[in-house]
């Protein structure tokens, strides 16, 4: 998969999430930088317990949008074990979904790959190798 396409896809997804957060009223706008970090850290730890839990996913998206609007980022210091736990749980979830309905999962994967490729920003001819 083309790295440029993947980067473009994630950038577009992030912009769409931030747009939704702004339209919903910036729920975390009133938090101090410290409060924002604490809220994000608590939510990230909860996400590692269950990466499919909708309310936590929404909260994380909002908190990360607020960080983005402030041109800052969450501090991952000391969360190495939590990150490993999240990666393990996400891999388990991915495997279970693929095993539960292989045909649907294959279609989803193909659709996602097509969406990522479609998101690729065109590279001007003089920059191509």
């Amino acid at each position: 998969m083309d790295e440029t396409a993947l980067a473009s896809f994630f950038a577009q997804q992030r912009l769409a999430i931030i747009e939704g957060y702004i339209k919903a009223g910036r729920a975390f706008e009133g938090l101090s930088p410290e409060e924002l970090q604490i809220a994000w850290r608590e939510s990230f730890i909860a996400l590692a317990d269950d990466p499919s839990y909708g309310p936590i996913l929404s909260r994380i998206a909002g908190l990360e949008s607020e960080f983005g609007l402030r041109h800052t980022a969450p501090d991952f210091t000391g969360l190495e074990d939590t990150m490993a736990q999240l990666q393990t749980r996400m891999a388990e979830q991915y495997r279970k979904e693929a095993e539960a309905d292989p045909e649907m999962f294959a279609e989803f994967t193909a659709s996602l790959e097509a969406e990522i490729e479609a998101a690729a920003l065109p590279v001007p001819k003089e920059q191509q190798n």
Side-chain angles (χ1 to χ4, degrees):
M1 182 169 303
D2 182 320
E3 286 183 32
T4 302
L6 193 57
S8 296
F9 173 77
F10 283 125
Q12 289 176 7
Q13 293 298 308
R14 184 167 179 82
L15 287 174
I17 290 168
I18 290 172
E19 178 185 25
Y21 172 72
I22 291 170
K23 286 180 178 177
R26 287 186 73 178
F28 304 109
E29 182 177 21
L31 296 180
S32 71
E34 295 79 19
E35 291 169 328
L36 183 62
Q37 179 62 39
I38 290 167
W40 176 84
R41 190 176 200 83
E42 290 170 351
S43 297
F44 187 77
I45 291 168
L47 182 68
D49 284 334
D50 184 357
S52 65
Y53 186 56
I56 290 295
L57 289 169
S58 294
R59 183 171 172 82
I60 287 280
L63 291 163
E64 290 184 356
S65 294
E66 187 61 41
F67 275 110
L69 291 168
R70 294 180 188 193
H71 303 288
T72 61
D75 180 5
F76 284 86
T77 303
L79 292 173
E80 294 80 9
D81 290 343
T82 305
M83 179 63 82
Q85 177 183 343
L86 176 61
Q87 290 172 336
T88 298
R89 296 260 166 87
M90 289 177 71
E92 289 169 3
Q93 181 180 345
Y94 185 88
R95 181 187 49 77
K96 285 178 185 175
E97 289 177 10
E99 289 173 356
D101 191 345
E103 186 176 313
M104 183 281 303
F105 198 74
E107 289 175 15
F108 168 76
T109 302
S111 173
L112 182 58
E113 287 173 355
E115 192 175 338
I116 290 169
E117 288 300 322
L121 298 173
V123 177
K125 291 201 183 281
E126 59 272 4
Q127 292 183 6
Q128 294 178 349
N129 293 334

